Amino acid sequence: MSDPLLVPRTAELGQIESLGVAPVPDASRNMGSGMLFLIWALASASATTPVIGLLLKNVGLFNFVWLVFLATAIGFVPGLLFAHMGRQVPIISMVMARRTFGMGGATVLALLYTVVGAGWFGLNTDVGGSILDSLFPGFGLTWYLLLGALQIGLVFFGMELLEKFYKYTAILFLLCYAVLAWYLFTRYPLRLPVVQGAVPWGKDIDLILSFSLLAWAYDFPTVTRFCVPWSPQEPWFRSLGFASMPSLGVMTAVLLMGILGLVALGMSGEWNIALLGKELPVWGEVSAVGVILAIAHTNAMNLYPAVTKFLAVINVAERRTPQWLQPAVVLGLGGFSTLLAILGILHFIENFLNLLGELLFPFTFILLVDWFLGRYHQNPASRFFAGNPDSPSLWSWSAGWAVVMLLAAIGMDQLEPWLPAALPLYLPWQVVSALLAAMMYGLGLHWAERRWTWRTV
């Protein structure tokens, strides 16, 4: 039976979502696997996604495709498991992490990743505003304010509106970029990129994963908690279908838009085809619509999870939060993120965001190991929240061990310059170091006979 203190009341604010971080009620869990693919494909298809073609311009087209497939194979299982976790227990990953990192550790991580989400929201808004200002100069901050208001409005009404937005704008988005691609191939001579020098396979796979799948995977439960609930009697192929859609959506967008950026760079010298038609008014309008949709699709999945993470921080102190809190956090965090874009402050905190991003790989693998070793999916969602006799403790030995291994993974990642040259050339060392840390975490708990933060009844 559900804990009545964790089940949200019927919304009193129309269609404005006020769920917070409470478990999603079964009545609201009706999202299908196709919608999962669509949401994450469009979230990954940002106006900045083709920049991966610029970053990997020397590997050639064939090797780029091969790198994306290898990165997908490496990140597929973690992404699949995270997506499945949201169907098992309908809560966000930062609430799940309370059993692994303790209430204190998970709260600190939730706050840090709130900064990451807000930062990327601001970065994408900054890029989108700059592109639109290039296409239609003279409007200045208007583009930033327009993009910020649009994105905040989408997240303000929650997942129900976001589903409709992704569904009804998908075709328009594809048409805009199809027209721009047609313009590229008819205006410029075809010139496919070729290999220029040796391909650093390991580093490039790390780059792709940190740019895409493993940067998103820990947020998959934020969306899959709205999916049809999982049951042990469900056919395996149905479970696999739901669990695989987010990963396939993310990497499909990376593959197609990465190819577009790579080819456009070789043909025109510009990786962002949205800028190619800026001298022609009609093409500029098509570009503007495509850019606005691309930025809004991505930033909705930056701001919405960031809001839930910040609510998880608040939830530690206040178990039952008022219905107005989530809309208020959306407005406050969205406004703050838009201000970052306007001020250009993200140029100064880019290294900080990258450092926080390095925590993602080990956080992902350690949480996965702990979740499935502890069989947390067998327990009611209420056990992840404060106020119950068997709730996660503020701190524990195993939580401390998880944090140590998190830091150890970052330390191992820094050893790359001292490794034999062939090792990071062929192995994605950032992934390997995170996997090693997760394995040591599991072995350490087993050796100390402290397998989980709390034992399954």
Side-chain angles (χ1 to χ4, degrees), residues 228-249:
V228 177
W230 172 81
S231 70
Q233 292 75 37
E234 181 177 89
W236 67 268
F237 53 85
R238 177 177 167 84
S239 299
L240 180 62
F242 273 96
S244 62
M245 286 301 105
S247 296
L248 294 178

Side-chain angles (χ1 to χ4, degrees), residues 24-241:
V24 178
D26 285 350
S28 299
R29 301 180 67 188
N30 49 26
M31 187 184 295
S33 57
M35 181 55 67
L36 274 181
F37 177 87
L38 187 65
I39 287 175
W40 287 106
L42 293 177
S44 181
S46 169
T48 58
T49 302
V51 79
I52 195 69
L54 172 65
L55 298 176
L56 299 178
K57 62 182 179 180
N58 295 324
V59 304
L61 182 60
F62 174 80
N63 285 332
F64 174 78
V65 173
W66 185 231
L67 281 166
V68 172
F69 275 108
L70 287 175
T72 303
I74 291 170
F76 185 73
V77 171
L80 181 148
L81 294 177
F82 262 107
H84 186 57
M85 288 159 62
R87 291 189 67 212
Q88 290 177 318
V89 182
I91 53 178
I92 66 171
S93 59
M94 285 303 170
V95 174
M96 296 174 177
R98 292 171 175 177
R99 291 294 179 190
T100 305
F101 297 94
M103 194 72 78
T107 302
V108 171
L109 289 171
L111 188 59
L112 290 175
Y113 286 133
T114 300
V115 175
V116 172
W120 282 113
F121 180 98
L123 177 62
N124 279 290
T125 301
D126 192 2
V127 170
S130 299
I131 293 173
L132 291 172
D133 189 53
S134 177
L135 293 170
F136 301 100
F139 291 91
L141 297 180
T142 303
W143 291 122
Y144 292 84
L145 296 174
L146 175 66
L147 284 174
L150 171 65
Q151 295 160 158
I152 292 170
L154 288 172
V155 176
F156 187 79
F157 289 93
M159 188 54 64
E160 184 177 354
L161 178 61
L162 286 175
E163 282 189 63
K164 292 182 174 65
F165 176 68
Y166 284 114
K167 180 178 179 180
Y168 294 115
T169 59
I171 296 298
L172 182 58
F173 168 79
L174 292 174
L175 285 175
C176 287
Y177 272 85
V179 168
L180 291 170
W182 178 82
Y183 177 49
L184 169 70
F185 286 106
T186 55
R187 183 180 176 91
Y188 297 91
L190 180 63
R191 187 181 298 116
L192 297 180
V194 295
V195 179
Q196 300 177 17
V199 177
W201 294 93
K203 289 184 178 180
D204 287 347
I205 290 172
D206 273 337
L207 174 64
I208 292 172
L209 285 172
S210 62
F211 185 81
S212 56
L213 186 50
L214 290 186
W216 285 115
Y218 80 120
D219 275 330
F220 287 170
T222 304
V223 179
T224 58
R225 64 191 176 133
F226 290 96
C227 288
V228 177
W230 172 81
S231 70
Q233 292 75 37
E234 181 177 89
W236 67 268
F237 53 85
R238 177 177 167 84
S239 299
L240 180 62

